Amino acid sequence: MTAATHSTLFPQVPDSADAVLDGLDPEQREVATTLRGPVCVLAGAGTGKTRAITHRIAYGVRAGILQPSSVLAVTFTNRAAGEMRGRLRQLGAAGVQARTFHSAALRQLQYFWPKAIGGSLPRLVDRKIQLVADAAAACRIRLDRGELRDATAEIEWSKVTQTVPADYALAAAKAGRETPRDPAEIAQLYAAYEDLKRTRSVIDFEDVLLLTVAVLQDRHDVAEQVRAQYQHFVVDEYQDVSPLQQRLLELWLGDRDDLCVVGDASQTIYSFTGATPDHLLDFRVRHPGATVVKLVRDYRSTPQVVHLANGLLAQARGRAADHRLELVSQRPAGPEPVYTEYADEPAEAEGAARRIRELLDSGVPAAEIAVLFRTNSQSETYEQALADAGVPYQLRGAERFFDRPEVRRAGSALRAAARFGGNDSLLDDTVDLPSQVRAVLSGEGWTTEPPAGSGAVRERWESLAALVGLAQDFAAARAGATLSDLVVELDERAGAQHAPTVQGVTLASLHSAKGLEWDVVFLVGVAEGMMPITYAKTDEQIEEERRLLYVGVTRARDRLHLSWALARSPGGRPSRRPSRFLKGLRPGSGTAGGRASGGGAGGVERGSRGGGRGAAAPAPRRAQRTPARCRVCGRTLTDAGEMKLMRCEGCPSDMDEGVYERLCAWRAVQAERSGQPAFCVFTDKTLMAIAESVPEDERELARIPGVGMRKLNRFGSDVLAICAGQEGVGLDADD
Ligand code: ATP
Ligand code: MG
C-alpha cells in the first residue's frame, strides 16, 4: 500500500473548526457555513455534494454550533451511509447519526414500539417475493416469475406512495403504470399479501417506514420526543426521495426548518419505486427563504470521463434533464473510455477479468476497481470469471463489516491479546504491530495466501485480511502504536460502523453504486435489452435507464471501460446491439440527432475469448447461429454455470470420468505448487466442461468457457496431454 493511501485512510483530523473548511471551494464553503435554515444544493455528479454536507456537519459540530447527537444525516444505501460515517469520523465529528431512511426509522420504531403499540416489533421478512407468491396462491392467481417480480414491484410502489389496495387501480392508471395483470387482480393480490403478513405476524421493508409515519402522526408524545432528540437534518441524494420518505422527513422536522438537502436530478434512478426529483427541484417553492447553492466543478473524474457523462446528459429528456448541469472537470487529462464488443456474455466477463488481472499486476489496488452491472443476475458470470482469473472480489461491500461473526471473533481475540500483553508488545519489542496482529489472527483462520474453497470461506478470509491491512496502515500512520491502541481504534470504528478497506474488486449493481467512486470502473452489459432493460417501455422509463448509465459513468475517477456482448451465450445468435445511449458518443456510432458531440479518439475494440486484448479476430463460436442449448435435452441455457457446462446441471453428463479425475489430481498439484486455491487454476465447472468435450487442440480448448489466454499459455499443453490420455502430466518437474 502506498504512502498516499495511508494518508487517505488515516488522515490528520483537522485541528480546528476552521481547518475543516480547508479544501472546500467557495460554493462548498457556503454550504458548510450556512448552518441554520433550509439549504438546498443542486449539483452534478462528483462536484462534492457529499463532501460539502459532511464538512458542514463537521464544521457545525467542531464550532460547537451543532450538538452531534442532535444531527440526523440520511442517505439512500447502507454503503453510502457507511461511507458518510467514515468521513465524519475522520473530520472529528463522531457521534453524528448517519443512516438510511430505513435504518433510522427501524431504530426509532424498535425503541417506541413497546410504548406506542405494546409488545415487541414483529419480525421483518427478508424474502418478500416468497410472501407475494404465497398470497397469489391463496387467491388462486397464477403468476410466472416475471409477473411475480412485477407484481411485487407494484405492491412496493403502492406502499411508498401510500396507496391502499382499494385505490390501487385508480392510482396506477393515474400514474400511467404498466401493470403486469389486470389492476383489479393486482389490488386483490396486494390485499391478500397484507392479510398474510398479519396472519404470520411479520412486517416488510416498506412497513418500517409506514409504521414509523403512523406512530409519529398518531402519537404526539412520541413525535415530540423524536423532535427533541433531532434538530438538524441533512439528506443526501434527495432526488430519490419517495413520497413516504418525504412524509417521514416532514414528521421529523415538525414546524422547524433546519434542513439541508443535496441532490442531482440527473441521477434520479428510483422513480420506478415512486421516488421523484420534484421535492428537490421544488425545494425553493416549499421553502421560499432557502439558500440554494449550485456546484459545477467536477473533482472526481478526468475530462475524458466527464465528456462522456455530459454527452449522455445532452441527449436526456424530461424534467430532470431540463435542470441538467454541465460538469467541468478539475482533473488532469486521463485515458479515453475504452469500448469493447464481445461475442457473448461469458467472453465479456472473461475479457473484463483479464483486464482487471493486468491492472492488479500493474499495481492498481483491487479496492479501487469496480464492475457495475444493470441486474444482480449478471453478477454470477463475473464472480466466476474473476475467480477463474484469480482476482479477489467483494459482493457485500463494507456494510455491517463489524457485525460479521468472523470480525467479532477477531476483535475478541485481539482484545484478549492486548490485555495479556498490556500496553507493551505481545511477544517482544522486536515484533511490530502488524506481525502481532497477524500472529493473533492466524489463530482465527487468517493465512498468508487466500484459501481454496467456496465463496463463504473466501469472504471470511477477506474480512481478516482487511483487519491485517488496517493494522499495517495504522502502524504506518502512528509510529509506536501498540496493540491496545489498535483495539481502541477498532472499537471506535465499530461504534461508527467505519469499515476498513476490504481488498477485493467490487461487484455491484448500478443502483447500489450511487454516491460511490473508484479509480477504474467496468460498465458491463451496455447493450440494448440490458441498458435500457427490456421492461423499460415508456419514455420516462427509458430516460431513467439513461440516468442509470450516467450514474455508472460518473463513478469512475480515471479509467472507464464499457462493454457489451452480441449474444447471451457462446454459440448464440449475435443479435444484440450496443446501447442506444452510446449513439454519437462511442467512436463509429454516428451522431445522436446531431445533439451530442463525438466520443473520444480510438475505436471500439473487439474482445475475443482466448485472443489478445482488443484482438480483431472474432471468437471462434461467433460463427454458430444457435443460442446456447443443453447438449443433452436441448433446453436454452441462461445460467452462467450451465452455460459453462453447455448442458443443464440435472441432465446426464457424458463426461470422460477418467480424464476428469486426472484433471482434478493435476489441478491439486498445480494449486499446491503455486500456493493458490484450486479454483484459481480452473473451477470445477471448467474441468467438467474439458472432460466432457475432451479437446484435441488449443483451438478447441480455447473455446471452453473459463479457459482464457493466460490459462491457455500456462496450462494448455498439460491439459491437452491429459486429454490425449498421457499419464503423470505435470507431476515431475516444477514449472
Ligand atoms: P455524487 O453525485 O456522485 O454523489 P458528489 O457530488 O457527492 O457526487 P463527492 O463524492 O462529495 O461528490 O466528491 C467527489 C470527489 O471529489 C471526492 O473524491 C471528493 O473528495 C472530491 N472533492 C470534492 N470537492 C473537492 C474539493 N473542493 N477539492 C478536492 N477534492 C474534492
Ligand atoms: Mg454524493
Side-chain angles (χ1 to χ4, degrees), residues 228-496:
Q229 162 90 54
Y230 296 114
Q231 282 136 33
H232 307 277
F233 298 86
V234 177
V235 186
D236 200 358
E237 311 269 4
Y238 189 56
Q239 74 279 358
D240 271 325
V241 76
S242 73
L244 185 55
Q245 289 164 335
Q246 175 65 24
R247 180 76 195 117
L248 180 59
L249 186 60
E250 285 162 7
L251 285 163
W252 281 338
L253 268 169
D255 53 11
R256 303 163 301 172
D257 66 357
D258 272 342
L259 168 66
C260 170
V261 299
V262 308
D264 173 11
S266 298
Q267 293 187 68
T268 307
I269 54 173
Y270 280 92
S271 305
F272 71 100
T273 66
T276 157
D278 293 348
H279 298 291
L280 174 72
L281 296 173
D282 297 336
F283 192 81
R284 210 190 318 226
V285 178
R286 283 167 162 250
H287 302 273
T291 307
V292 177
V293 183
K294 295 193 175 176
L295 312 173
V296 287
R297 299 180 199 87
D298 183 322
Y299 292 98
R300 175 181 294 145
S301 310
T302 62
Q304 284 68 19
V305 171
V306 166
H307 180 79
L308 176 58
N310 284 335
L312 278 170
L313 279 196
Q315 301 176 20
R317 290 274 173 271
R319 180 155 198 230
D322 295 342
H323 293 263
R324 69 183 139 234
L325 295 158
E326 187 153 82
L327 300 171
V328 184
S329 172
Q330 306 297 302
R331 301 267 328 269
E336 289 291 341
V338 177
Y339 300 86
T340 314
E341 179 167 285
Y342 290 92
D344 53 65
E345 284 181 7
E348 185 184 2
E350 213 177 90
R354 193 164 54 232
R355 285 194 158 134
I356 292 173
R357 185 71 261 168
E358 287 165 10
L359 288 166
L360 298 183
D361 292 345
S362 72
V364 178
E368 283 309 333
I369 304 174
V371 178
L372 306 180
F373 33 73
R374 175 65 183 84
T375 69
N376 282 317
S377 63
Q378 287 165 278
S379 182
E380 196 193 330
T381 314
Y382 286 86
E383 288 168 46
Q384 182 103 44
L386 291 178
D388 283 349
V391 172
Y393 61 83
Q394 47 168 333
L395 293 168
R396 289 193 282 181
E399 73 250 46
R400 318 249 35 114
F401 177 85
F402 289 99
D403 293 345
R404 298 179 187 175
E406 68 274 19
V407 174
R408 283 169 179 270
R409 278 197 301 273
S412 310
L414 289 169
R415 209 166 291 119
R419 258 202 313 275
F420 171 73
N423 277 335
D424 299 315
S425 304
L426 176 66
L427 305 169
D428 63 57
D429 287 335
T430 56
V431 176
D432 61 8
L433 176 61
S435 307
Q436 292 173 24
V437 171
R438 280 191 290 267
V440 175
L441 296 189
S442 355
E444 298 299 312
W446 180 79
T447 47
T448 327
E449 291 297 326
S454 73
V457 173
R458 174 78 189 220
E459 279 206 82
R460 275 201 292 280
W461 182 88
E462 297 288 356
S463 300
L464 298 179
L467 289 173
V468 169
L470 180 75
Q472 281 163 352
D473 294 334
F474 186 66
R478 312 236 170 117
T482 64
L483 196 54
S484 302
D485 297 333
L486 180 70
V487 166
V488 171
E489 168 74 12
L490 284 176
D491 285 345
E492 280 178 12
R493 278 178 173 255

Side-chain angles (χ1 to χ4, degrees), residues 23-25 28 43-52 87 236-237 264 267 295 298-300 514-517 554-555 557:
L24 294 185
D25 68 23
Q28 292 171 337
T47 52
K49 295 184 296 297
T50 305
R51 180 172 166 122
R87 290 196 201 182
D236 200 358
E237 311 269 4
D264 173 11
Q267 293 187 68
L295 312 173
D298 183 322
Y299 292 98
R300 175 181 294 145
K514 72 190 280 196
L516 305 179
E517 59 187 24
T554 53
R555 298 310 96 202
R557 291 195 195 103

Side-chain angles (χ1 to χ4, degrees), residues 12-13 198 208 223 247 279 288 295 309 344 360-361 429 480 495 528 541 549 583 613 620 648 661 686 695 707:
Q12 288 289 314
V13 174
R198 263 189 296 278
V208 172
R247 180 76 195 117
H279 298 291
L295 312 173
D344 53 65
L360 298 183
D361 292 345
D429 287 335
E528 286 291 298
Q541 288 167 340
L549 182 58
K583 193 148 191 259
R613 180 197 203 156
C648 304
E661 264 171 38
T686 303
V707 185

Side-chain angles (χ1 to χ4, degrees), residues 709-721:
M709 193 57 185
R710 245 179 82 244
K711 295 197 179 174
L712 195 65
N713 287 337
R714 188 145 172 230
F715 303 126
S717 54
D718 273 12
V719 170
L720 289 172

Side-chain angles (χ1 to χ4, degrees), residues 42-226:
L42 287 166
T47 52
K49 295 184 296 297
T50 305
R51 180 172 166 122
I53 53 170
T54 34
H55 281 68
R56 178 180 186 270
I57 297 170
Y59 174 71
V61 167
R62 300 288 303 273
I65 302 167
L66 306 179
Q67 271 297 320
S69 58
S70 72
V71 182
L72 181 57
V74 194
T75 181
F76 278 80
T77 64
N78 284 320
R79 282 185 191 195
E83 181 84 23
M84 194 184 276
R85 284 190 293 266
R87 290 196 201 182
L88 283 170
R89 193 169 163 258
Q90 287 165 356
L91 293 169
V96 172
Q97 294 287 323
R99 295 182 171 271
T100 61
F101 271 106
H102 184 262
S103 87
L106 184 60
R107 199 156 170 266
Q108 292 175 13
L109 202 56
Q110 274 162 340
Y111 185 76
F112 289 110
W113 191 268
K115 177 177 165 190
I117 313 286
S120 55
L121 186 68
R123 187 174 62 83
L124 197 59
V125 282
D126 36 45
R127 300 248 315 132
K128 179 190 285 147
I129 201 148
Q130 186 54 51
L131 211 60
V132 178
D134 293 350
C139 46
R140 297 179 193 285
I141 298 175
R142 287 174 66 88
L143 299 171
D144 66 26
R145 256 174 70 179
E147 288 172 328
L148 184 60
R149 185 199 62 216
D150 292 347
T152 306
E154 287 308 295
I155 293 176
E156 286 173 359
W157 172 81
S158 304
K159 297 184 76 162
V160 299
T161 52
Q162 293 177 280
T163 306
V164 295
D167 297 340
Y168 171 77
L170 196 63
K174 222 168 127 190
R177 296 197 63 92
E178 200 164 297
T179 59
R181 283 292 184 91
D182 179 51
E185 258 183 322
I186 300 290
Q188 189 195 351
L189 178 65
Y190 175 18
Y193 168 79
E194 291 295 315
D195 283 344
L196 195 60
K197 270 194 307 136
R198 263 189 296 278
T199 321
R200 296 189 185 172
S201 297
V202 290
I203 57 172
D204 67 17
F205 197 81
E206 289 72 31
D207 288 333
V208 172
L209 295 192
L210 280 165
L211 290 167
T212 311
V213 163
V215 170
L216 293 178
Q217 252 164 201
D218 296 350
R219 293 286 303 255
H220 290 287
D221 54 334
V222 171
E224 284 317 313
Q225 210 177 328
V226 171

